[in-house]
Amino acid sequence: MTEHDQEHGAARDVDSTGAPDLPGALDLPLARKTLDAQPFSRLVGAEVTAFGDGAATLEIPVRDELRQQNGFVHGGVLAYAADNGITFAAGTVLGAAVLTSGFTIQYVRPATGARLVARATVAEATRRQAVVRCDLFAVADDGTESLCALAQGTVRATSA
């Protein structure tokens, strides 16, 4: 237990994977409600479609307002999706009170298609932080996925 946990009486057990076992941990409906509480997420039309066990998936329908001048999904939209995917995946092991402390993104190819999908998975977690990888895919109308970016980030549990 950390000093902070001792001060606030918030002991956490650790499961066999090393991830904290959190009472009242987030579930998919609460994750969706949390995302919907973000005005920017509503603006881009993001939706959490999978959440739990060290992973989260965010999906964004592509529309003209999210494209840059050449018709590709704007890199800022991909970065937004990576950041939120990373943070939500970390929330599955750290709890709801988390913030991204940093992330990097590598754009592999221009994103085109009907949907953007960000699939994030926790690579390693302690009681206070998680390192998460996120793969971003552009999805065509026929369901074909093309990898368009890779991201990695670190998320920390916030102090109460």
Side-chain angles (χ1 to χ4, degrees), residues 70-93:
N70 295 315
F72 306 124
V73 178
H74 193 283
V77 175
L78 275 79
Y80 155 82
D83 179 23
N84 268 278
I86 286 167
T87 304
F88 274 85
T92 70
V93 298

Side-chain angles (χ1 to χ4, degrees), residues 89-134:
T92 70
V93 298
L94 297 176
V98 295
L99 291 172
T100 302
S101 59
F103 78 97
T104 60
I105 187 165
Q106 300 298 313
Y107 299 101
V108 178
R109 68 180 46 86
T112 60
R115 268 183 117 52
L116 179 66
V117 175
R119 291 190 188 105
T121 306
V122 173
E124 188 67 34
T126 66
R127 291 175 180 235
R128 303 281 302 148
Q129 96 176 7
V131 176
V132 183
R133 175 191 167 122
C134 184

